[in-house]
Amino acid sequence: MAGPIKLKFVLSGDHVDRLPDVGPEVCFVGRSNVGKSSLINAVSNRKKLAHVSNTPGRTRLLNLFEFDPRPGGLMDLPGYGFANAPAQMRGSWQKMIEGYLLERESLVMVLVLVDGVVGPTKLDLQMLDWLRSVDLPHTVVATKHDKVKSSIRDKRKKEVAKKCQLEPDDVVWVSTVKGVGIDRLRGMIRRWVSFG
Ligand code: GDP
């Protein structure tokens, strides 16, 4: 089935134990401002499903969405690397994110969003290393394709992949502004969830 993935917001929680099971789940993770909310909105073709904000770090909870009809779900994890957050708060976010990633049994794929303009940050690379170390299936999605000048796109695609220790074709490039890669990503999510 092509087209948008119909999503319904279920709830926001601060611990994996308090989340209902909605079937196989794909989660979105990335630093604040990477374009995570915009991407969830684009995948579902809803303007305000996930909160799009210019204020980094506003989404601080585990936000669960379910496919309508079920089964299947998307998890919007809190953005990491909010520069101004006190160390103590950063620690509690990390625990919440790690707890979810390690304990969510229905998790079938982790989408690691990296900013296509900025490239993978130190925290993105740490996240990838960690996912590899705990053997969690993951896919790198590079955002804001439209903001990378067409003259340097090929070079940038190679650079981003290399930094992530991947081949260029393994990275899914998207633009929510131009609609690049959105259908491809929807298809991938549907496959992961149905084979989850
Ligand atoms: P989040 O903090 O990761 O949820 O990021 P948001 O979805 O709130 O996006 C952060 C900023 O990047 C916003 O100003 C968005 O409008 C912008 N943005 C997100 N995706 C794209 C994109 O594909 N292209 C462009 N040009 N801007 C984008």
Side-chain angles (χ1 to χ4, degrees):
M1 197 176 66
I5 296 176
K6 211 171 160 205
L7 288 180
K8 248 182 9 194
F9 174 68
V10 181
L11 54 76
S12 298
D14 63 359
H15 199 281
V16 59
D17 288 351
R18 290 189 269 276
L19 301 173
D21 185 13
V22 296
E25 217 163 279
V26 173
C27 88
F28 288 62
V29 64
R31 69 168 183 83
S32 305
N33 225 33
V34 71
K36 190 158 52 66
S37 312
S38 306
L39 187 58
I40 293 174
N41 290 338
V43 162
S44 58
N45 205 20
R46 294 264 301 272
K47 284 205 171 68
K48 287 185 184 159
L49 187 66
H51 183 72
V52 182
S53 161
N54 288 322
T55 316
R58 260 177 86 170
T59 324
R60 292 181 184 182
L61 293 168
L62 309 167
N63 301 300
L64 179 64
F65 301 86
E66 65 180 4
F67 287 30
D68 182 16
R70 286 204 294 195
L74 292 188
M75 167 55 69
D76 178 13
L77 288 180
Y80 51 72
F82 179 30
N84 297 325
Q88 196 188 354
M89 267 176 119
R90 284 202 298 263
S92 69
W93 291 346
Q94 196 172 331
K95 262 194 224 145
M96 185 164 65
I97 293 175
E98 277 186 16
Y100 168 83
L101 292 169
L102 292 173
E103 290 164 36
R104 188 68 163 162
E105 284 177 11
S106 52
L107 182 60
V108 293
M109 182 57 71
V110 182
L111 294 181
V112 180
L113 274 56
V114 304
D115 192 312
V117 180
V118 177
T121 64
K122 211 169 136 189
L123 283 172
D124 297 330
L125 296 176
Q126 274 175 15
M127 174 58 82
L128 283 173
D129 278 349
W130 184 80
L131 289 169
R132 284 174 184 137
S133 74
V134 295
D135 230 3
L136 272 172
H138 55 278
T139 298
V140 172
V141 177
T143 61
K144 308 182 189 177
H145 179 268
D146 61 288
K147 281 180 92 175
V148 179
K149 276 198 203 129
S150 53
S151 56
I152 63 158
R153 265 183 205 150
D154 277 350
K155 188 167 161 260
R156 175 59 57 85
K157 285 182 180 176
K158 284 183 193 146
E159 280 167 6
V160 169
K162 193 170 177 210
K163 282 189 182 161
C164 297
Q165 298 174 44
L166 295 168
E167 294 300 322
D169 285 349
D170 296 334
V171 178
V172 184
W173 278 80
V174 295
S175 163
T176 56
V177 171
K178 298 281 184 194
V180 174
I182 304 300
D183 265 335
R184 179 181 175 208
L185 188 63
R186 287 170 176 156
M188 294 170 93
I189 292 172
R190 284 197 168 97
R191 277 197 299 281
W192 291 321
V193 166
S194 45
F195 298 123

